[in-house]
mmCIF file of all heavy atoms in Angstrom:
data_model
loop_
_atom_site.group_PDB
_atom_site.id
_atom_site.type_symbol
_atom_site.label_atom_id
_atom_site.label_comp_id
_atom_site.label_asym_id
_atom_site.label_seq_id
_atom_site.Cartn_x
_atom_site.Cartn_y
_atom_site.Cartn_z
ATOM 1 N N LEU A 5 6.095 -30.774 -17.557
ATOM 2 C CA LEU A 5 7.299 -29.967 -17.714
ATOM 3 C C LEU A 5 6.956 -28.478 -17.595
ATOM 4 O O LEU A 5 7.667 -27.720 -16.921
ATOM 5 C CB LEU A 5 7.969 -30.243 -19.065
ATOM 6 C CG LEU A 5 9.185 -29.370 -19.385
ATOM 7 C CD1 LEU A 5 10.315 -29.631 -18.400
ATOM 8 C CD2 LEU A 5 9.638 -29.604 -20.817
ATOM 9 N N MET A 16 11.949 -18.945 -7.774
ATOM 10 C CA MET A 16 13.091 -18.070 -7.987
ATOM 11 C C MET A 16 12.690 -16.605 -7.778
ATOM 12 O O MET A 16 13.407 -15.836 -7.141
ATOM 13 C CB MET A 16 13.644 -18.259 -9.402
ATOM 14 C CG MET A 16 14.859 -17.394 -9.700
ATOM 15 S SD MET A 16 15.460 -17.575 -11.381
ATOM 16 C CE MET A 16 14.094 -16.930 -12.316
ATOM 17 N N ALA A 18 10.231 -15.480 -5.929
ATOM 18 C CA ALA A 18 9.964 -15.268 -4.505
ATOM 19 C C ALA A 18 11.266 -15.109 -3.730
ATOM 20 O O ALA A 18 11.381 -14.240 -2.858
ATOM 21 C CB ALA A 18 9.139 -16.423 -3.939
ATOM 22 N N ARG A 23 15.190 -11.411 -1.112
ATOM 23 C CA ARG A 23 16.537 -10.828 -0.966
ATOM 24 C C ARG A 23 16.497 -9.316 -1.156
ATOM 25 O O ARG A 23 17.201 -8.584 -0.470
ATOM 26 C CB ARG A 23 17.512 -11.484 -1.930
ATOM 27 C CG ARG A 23 17.825 -12.924 -1.539
ATOM 28 C CD ARG A 23 18.874 -13.553 -2.420
ATOM 29 N NE ARG A 23 20.150 -12.881 -2.345
ATOM 30 C CZ ARG A 23 21.116 -13.173 -1.472
ATOM 31 N NH1 ARG A 23 20.913 -14.099 -0.570
ATOM 32 N NH2 ARG A 23 22.261 -12.532 -1.492
ATOM 33 N N SER A 31 18.554 -6.654 6.632
ATOM 34 C CA SER A 31 18.554 -7.937 7.337
ATOM 35 C C SER A 31 19.179 -9.059 6.506
ATOM 36 O O SER A 31 19.069 -10.218 6.866
ATOM 37 C CB SER A 31 17.127 -8.320 7.739
ATOM 38 O OG SER A 31 16.328 -8.473 6.590
ATOM 39 N N VAL A 33 22.035 -11.368 5.513
ATOM 40 C CA VAL A 33 23.236 -11.848 6.198
ATOM 41 C C VAL A 33 24.379 -11.916 5.199
ATOM 42 O O VAL A 33 24.294 -12.576 4.168
ATOM 43 C CB VAL A 33 22.998 -13.236 6.830
ATOM 44 C CG1 VAL A 33 24.277 -13.781 7.449
ATOM 45 C CG2 VAL A 33 21.895 -13.161 7.855
ATOM 46 N N PRO A 44 35.211 -23.366 30.620
ATOM 47 C CA PRO A 44 35.977 -23.977 31.711
ATOM 48 C C PRO A 44 35.298 -23.861 33.079
ATOM 49 O O PRO A 44 35.531 -24.697 33.959
ATOM 50 C CB PRO A 44 37.301 -23.217 31.701
ATOM 51 C CG PRO A 44 37.054 -21.982 30.925
ATOM 52 C CD PRO A 44 35.888 -22.240 30.032
ATOM 53 N N GLY A 47 31.796 -26.164 32.414
ATOM 54 C CA GLY A 47 32.052 -27.465 31.797
ATOM 55 C C GLY A 47 31.081 -27.786 30.671
ATOM 56 O O GLY A 47 31.062 -28.902 30.157
ATOM 57 N N GLU A 94 -12.456 14.194 -14.549
ATOM 58 C CA GLU A 94 -13.253 13.057 -15.040
ATOM 59 C C GLU A 94 -14.674 13.113 -14.498
ATOM 60 O O GLU A 94 -15.641 12.876 -15.216
ATOM 61 C CB GLU A 94 -12.564 11.762 -14.628
ATOM 62 C CG GLU A 94 -13.258 10.514 -15.085
ATOM 63 C CD GLU A 94 -12.531 9.263 -14.615
ATOM 64 O OE1 GLU A 94 -11.337 9.132 -14.931
ATOM 65 O OE2 GLU A 94 -13.173 8.444 -13.933
ATOM 66 N N LEU A 112 -36.285 22.807 -7.256
ATOM 67 C CA LEU A 112 -35.936 22.055 -6.058
ATOM 68 C C LEU A 112 -35.852 22.978 -4.841
ATOM 69 O O LEU A 112 -36.337 22.641 -3.757
ATOM 70 C CB LEU A 112 -34.600 21.334 -6.264
ATOM 71 C CG LEU A 112 -34.104 20.475 -5.112
ATOM 72 C CD1 LEU A 112 -35.084 19.350 -4.815
ATOM 73 C CD2 LEU A 112 -32.737 19.920 -5.425
ATOM 74 N N ARG A 115 -39.407 23.828 -3.669
ATOM 75 C CA ARG A 115 -40.044 22.710 -2.980
ATOM 76 C C ARG A 115 -39.461 22.535 -1.576
ATOM 77 O O ARG A 115 -40.180 22.272 -0.614
ATOM 78 C CB ARG A 115 -39.864 21.425 -3.779
ATOM 79 C CG ARG A 115 -40.746 21.390 -5.010
ATOM 80 C CD ARG A 115 -40.768 20.078 -5.788
ATOM 81 N NE ARG A 115 -40.062 18.953 -5.246
ATOM 82 C CZ ARG A 115 -39.248 18.167 -5.959
ATOM 83 N NH1 ARG A 115 -39.046 18.410 -7.234
ATOM 84 N NH2 ARG A 115 -38.653 17.145 -5.407
ATOM 85 N N LEU A 116 -38.138 22.703 -1.452
ATOM 86 C CA LEU A 116 -37.497 22.583 -0.157
ATOM 87 C C LEU A 116 -37.975 23.686 0.792
ATOM 88 O O LEU A 116 -38.278 23.426 1.958
ATOM 89 C CB LEU A 116 -35.974 22.649 -0.315
ATOM 90 C CG LEU A 116 -35.148 22.540 0.954
ATOM 91 C CD1 LEU A 116 -35.410 21.206 1.647
ATOM 92 C CD2 LEU A 116 -33.681 22.701 0.653
ATOM 93 N N ALA A 117 -38.091 24.905 0.298
ATOM 94 C CA ALA A 117 -38.560 26.020 1.131
ATOM 95 C C ALA A 117 -39.995 25.776 1.584
ATOM 96 O O ALA A 117 -40.344 26.034 2.745
ATOM 97 C CB ALA A 117 -38.448 27.329 0.352
#
Side-chain angles (χ1 to χ4, degrees):
L5 175 64
M16 181 182 65
R23 290 185 62 89
S31 62
V33 176
E94 181 181 303
L112 181 61
R115 286 187 5 226
L116 180 60

